[in-house]
Amino acid sequence: QVQLAESGGDLVQPGGSLRLSCVASGSIFSFYYMGWYRQGPGKEREFVATITNSGSTNYADSVKGRFTISRDSAKNTMYLQMNSLKPEDTAVYYCNGRGATLNSWGQGTQVTVSS
């Protein structure tokens, strides 16, 4: 099982930026695709963005134009660049990787957007 570990969460002011990282214990090409999800206070976990092995990306409407998902296969790492952050982006962010027999989740990293 390939394990995932997120980092980069922090407290940031509205309008600010953060970059989250998700490091895999093995090759990220073990997964067909990887993605970011988030769970805000009192809310269910929701989709944020995904990236496939071919590099195709998909975003939730709420983050489109503000967030960018990317990966560095040499570092076995996936990133989420978050710009123009809003208070409603406050959540625990989780990375996920899915393959033929894999469905791995990280432990989450807290992002708080507040003045």
Side-chain angles (χ1 to χ4, degrees):
Q1 183 82 349
V2 179
Q3 297 182 338
L4 303 174
E6 307 95 335
S7 63
D10 205 346
L11 170 64
V12 62
Q13 292 187 344
S17 297
L18 278 177
R19 188 177 79 158
L20 305 183
S21 299
C22 172
V23 179
S25 61
S27 171
I28 59 174
F29 291 111
S30 300
F31 305 113
Y32 292 155
Y33 66 91
M34 299 182 71
W36 290 96
Y37 295 77
R38 67 186 182 186
Q39 187 165 13
K43 298 180 180 179
E44 295 186 351
R45 191 173 298 189
E46 65 177 4
F47 160 76
V48 176
T50 54
I51 184 166
T52 69
N53 274 352
S54 63
S56 297
T57 59
N58 190 31
Y59 296 92
D61 287 343
S62 60
V63 306
K64 203 170 292 184
R66 299 188 298 123
F67 291 9
T68 303
I69 189 171
S70 64
R71 62 173 186 210
D72 184 336
S73 58
K75 296 182 179 180
N76 290 321
T77 301
M78 177 180 65
Y79 303 99
L80 185 68
Q81 178 66 43
M82 306 186 294
N83 299 328
S84 302
L85 283 162
K86 305 175 181 179
E88 51 263 43
D89 294 319
T90 294
V92 178
Y93 283 71
Y94 299 90
C95 66
N96 172 252
R98 302 198 183 185
T101 59
L102 294 173
N103 185 15
S104 298
W105 290 91
Q107 81 288 349
T109 187
Q110 176 70 48
V111 172
T112 302
V113 184
S114 175
S115 55

